[in-house]
Structure formats: C-alpha cells, structure tokens
Amino acid sequence: MKREIRVFAPATVANVACGFDILGFAIDQPGDEVIVRLIDKPGVYIVKISGDQGRLPLAAEKNTVSVSILALLKHLKSNQGFEIELMKRMPLGSGLGSSAASTVAGVFAANILLGNPLAKEELLPFATEGERIACGSAHADNAAPALLGGFVLIRSYQPLDVIQIATPKDLYCTVLHPQIEIRTEDARKILKKSILIKDAITQWGNIAGLIAGLMKSDYDLIRRSLQDVIIEPIRSILIPGFHEVKQAALASGALGCSISGSGPSLFALSSTREVASKAGDAMQAVMNSLNIASEIYISKINPVGPRILEN
Ligand code: HSE
C-alpha cells in the first residue's frame, strides 16, 4: 500500500452569475497540489507550504487542509497520522476557490491513503468544513465541483444534496484574474440580508433557465439566463473596470460574463474556443488599460475534479 500520494485539485467558478452559493463548476487550470503521507504517530501536521508568501497557517487546527482531514479522521474514528505539504499554485482571494482546491486535494488524498473508506461524494462535508475555517461560511459551491468535477448544483445544504448537471459538449470558460485580492469574508459582509421578491423571481427564473439551457445544450437559453440581479450589482463595485470587462466579453460573442465566486476574477462562457479566446483578449485589454496585471485561463468544464499526480 502507498504511504505517500500527490494530488491536484482544480480551481472552480462558483455562483455562475445567478446561483449564489448553489452553482459551481470546475475548470482545468489553475489548481493546487498537496503531498499527503502516512506517518507512524497520531496527529495531522502541515510540514511545508509553498506559493502562499507565508500567509497560510501551519497550525493543524487553523489550516483548511488539515481541518478537513481531522474532521474525516474523527468521522472514521481513526488515529492515523498524516504529514502534508501544500503547494499553492493559485493566488489567495482570487475568486477561484483557492481554499476549496487545497482542501479537496487533501481530503481526497487522505481518503485514498486510508484505503478509500468513503466514496468521493461522501468527502464533501469534510471539504466544506475547510471552507468554514477559510471564510466563516461552509458554502459548498467551490468544494463540490472541485471534488466531483463538472457543473454542480447544491440543491440543499441541510441535508447536503448535490446534483451534477450535464453540460453541452462545447462549452468553454474564460477566466480573467486581475492581480488584486478580495477576501471572500469581506465580499460576503457587504451583501444585503434580505432581497426584494421581484428580484428573487427574476433570479429563480434565471437559475432554472440556466440549468435547463445546460441540460438541453440550448446556448441561447444559457445566454438569456446568465444574469445576476442580486449579488453582482453589489460586488461589482469592488472590481475596477468590471462593467467594461463584461461588455468586452459580450461584444466578443460570449454567452455571458459575471463575477467568479466572490471575485475579483471574472468568468465568461462561450460556445467555441475561438470566442472564449477572443473574449479573453478583450477582457485582458481592459485590465491592461487600467494598468492592472492579470492572467487569463481558458478551459472546458473539467469533468474529473481531483487527480493523482505521479511523484
Ligand atoms: N458562493 C461563495 C460566495 C463563493 O460568492 O461568497 C466564494 O468563492
């Protein structure tokens, strides 16, 4: 049996415009990596973190990766000890599910080293525990797609009820990551506690329309449904050039464009790679004009989630 394993887990786009806290999908790049190894004494130890500029805690009860592995061990009533090395390959506070990627990679790796006592989908509650540590809320719309791959609907939180949604064969995501940081915790604090029923009706229609559009491969329905009248108007204030970037993506032919998770990244969906790439160039040109450095990632929806890497 293996004593050490290296796992990659992908970045994710949460909310997907209209589905605050209930929709998310995985992309191919970027993502985080962990090395998890069995040790002969009990306890979970983070021995090394790279790529975080020294910002993430090493203490087991504070780090999202170890917290979720500790929760898994508690559930299994196991005393097995682990050492963890975490390689952050994506920026913190990017709106790309950075903490979920690390957490999912860790809990997925630990479960394999323990001999797969739980099925992949059963690991979700432990990964969402990590999210609670990261930003104070156990939202699952990054962790679920990072773990399961694909496009995911969180139909219910209590109990967790997660549905994988079929997507068109040709659906491309463009992510623009401006090199500024927004903490999810802060981006949640500025949201209103209540909403107008008329806005809720618009949002419900769009969520249902988006799901139906994805399942029917109806691009025009997807385009009509990628609208957020509740969260985007508030959070867009935090992102310089937001409206110009969105306009640039739509003018390039993207089906829609909105904030990825809690930002500052923006995502656009397109029906061809050419449009996704053209939208990326146009979105980045806006950031360049504002003198804000940025990265572009283009990928299809990642159907796999975490994967084992050869050492
Ligand atoms: N649904 C969460 C939020 C995702 O928007 O706050 C955070 O990445």
Side-chain angles (χ1 to χ4, degrees):
M1 189 131 115
K2 274 201 157 195
R3 299 215 24 110
E4 178 178 306
I5 192 170
R6 185 182 184 112
V7 167
F8 166 91
T12 42
V13 170
N15 302 337
V16 200
C18 47
F20 179 68
D21 275 1
I22 64 159
L23 297 179
F25 61 84
I27 57 178
D28 290 337
Q29 284 292 339
D32 282 347
E33 284 175 37
V34 294
I35 295 173
V36 178
R37 71 180 68 89
L38 297 173
I39 53 171
D40 292 331
K41 59 175 179 176
V44 176
Y45 305 90
I46 311 266
V47 290
K48 190 173 164 193
I49 306 179
S50 57
D52 70 325
Q53 286 83 39
R55 293 175 51 197
L56 293 175
L58 286 162
E61 70 287 359
K62 292 199 179 131
N63 188 290
T64 62
V65 183
S66 37
V67 163
S68 36
I69 295 179
L70 284 165
L72 173 68
L73 290 170
K74 190 171 170 201
H75 171 82
L76 296 172
K77 300 187 175 56
S78 167
N79 280 328
Q80 178 62 53
F82 286 100
E83 260 178 24
I84 300 161
E85 291 180 31
L86 170 59
M87 284 74 76
K88 291 300 295 179
R89 302 261 195 252
M90 63 170 139
L92 310 179
S94 59
L96 293 172
S98 170
S99 57
S102 307
T103 306
V104 162
V107 86
F108 179 79
N111 188 53
I112 293 175
L113 290 175
L114 290 166
N116 285 310
L118 296 187
K120 192 160 100 158
E121 53 276 14
E122 291 174 319
L123 298 174
L124 185 56
F126 309 105
T128 52
E129 251 337 282
E131 293 292 74
R132 194 194 303 282
I133 298 289
C135 76
S137 110
H139 60 89
D141 51 341
N142 292 114
L147 178 67
L148 302 173
F151 196 112
V152 174
L153 161 69
I154 322 291
R155 196 217 42 94
S156 151
Y157 273 87
Q158 281 181 333
L160 258 181
D161 186 4
V162 174
I163 322 286
Q164 285 199 279
I165 304 296
T167 54
K169 188 169 60 63
D170 287 309
L171 191 63
Y172 297 85
C173 174
T174 309
V175 165
L176 167 79
H177 169 244
Q179 287 182 12
I180 51 178
E181 185 177 334
I182 295 177
R183 294 176 66 230
T184 298
E185 197 174 349
D186 298 336
R188 292 182 80 86
K189 275 192 198 136
I190 63 168
L191 299 177
K192 292 185 192 146
K193 295 282 172 281
S194 56
I195 58 171
L196 294 173
I197 193 94
K198 83 171 173 47
D199 291 338
I201 291 167
T202 305
Q203 204 86 348
W204 291 327
N206 283 328
I207 295 165
L210 178 56
I211 299 293
L214 291 168
M215 295 181 75
K216 292 167 62 170
S217 296
D218 182 337
Y219 293 108
D220 196 54
L221 180 54
I222 295 171
R223 184 184 57 72
R224 298 201 301 282
S225 307
L226 278 171
Q227 320 272 355
D228 172 11
V229 297
I230 294 174
I231 307 294
E232 185 185 292
I234 299 171
R235 284 186 172 168
S236 56
I237 296 160
L238 303 174
I239 305 171
F242 170 83
H243 296 285
E244 292 79 1
V245 172
K246 179 170 174 165
Q247 196 41 47
L250 297 178
S252 304
L255 300 166
C257 174
S258 187
I259 303 169
S260 175
S262 52
S265 292
L266 275 84
F267 79 97
L269 288 178
S270 302
S271 57
T272 68
R273 190 173 282 279
E274 290 66 40
V275 172
S277 164
K278 190 175 161 201
D281 290 345
M283 292 160 83
Q284 193 163 41
V286 176
M287 281 298 146
N288 291 346
S289 74
L290 297 172
N291 290 320
I292 299 174
S294 63
E295 290 100 36
I296 292 283
Y297 302 98
I298 295 177
S299 84
K300 290 186 106 169
I301 311 277
N302 167 351
V304 180
R307 62 174 202 273
I308 299 169
L309 301 175
E310 294 310 319
N311 262 328

